[in-house]
Amino acid sequence: ERDRLLREALQKSRQLRHRSRSKWRRILSDSLTAGEGWFVFLIVGFFTGLLAGMIQVSREWAFDLKFGYCSEGGFWNSRKECC
């Protein structure tokens, strides 16, 4: 009983705050709330792609090490890039 009353009071409070905002602010707030899932999806996808790219570059660099590395340009350059 007490939980139900508390939930109802919180819901009324949210509704009053929501109504007191201007129309444009309410539309912006609703849009941001609706887009939160897509925003998280976008960020996770971006970082997944970034990680995949880093793994690909690291794999190529490690594979090129068997042919030697460039002593003048730095260890990260393969002999193919240096010479």
Side-chain angles (χ1 to χ4, degrees):
E1 178 67 26
R2 195 174 69 203
D3 291 337
R4 183 182 61 81
L5 292 174
L6 181 62
R7 260 195 317 268
E8 288 176 0
L10 287 172
Q11 186 174 3
K12 284 181 183 179
S13 173
R14 273 189 236 118
Q15 287 174 349
L16 286 174
R17 272 188 281 141
H18 190 69
R19 278 190 218 132
S20 66
R21 294 180 184 161
S22 69
K23 177 182 176 183
W24 292 108
R25 194 168 173 194
R26 192 169 47 239
I27 290 171
L28 180 63
S29 174
D30 291 345
S31 299
L32 289 175
T33 301
E36 282 177 351
W38 286 105
F39 180 71
V40 170
F41 183 72
L42 179 72
I43 296 297
V44 168
F46 173 77
F47 283 112
T48 301
L50 186 66
L51 180 63
M54 289 170 45
I55 289 171
Q56 176 68 22
V57 169
S58 300
R59 188 198 62 83
E60 289 177 6
W61 173 78
F63 183 74
D64 288 341
L65 278 180
K66 70 180 179 182
F67 297 115
Y69 63 92
C70 183
S71 59
E72 296 173 8
F75 73 92
W76 55 87
N77 291 331
S78 65
R79 185 169 296 282
K80 184 172 49 174
E81 292 174 357
C82 183
C83 301

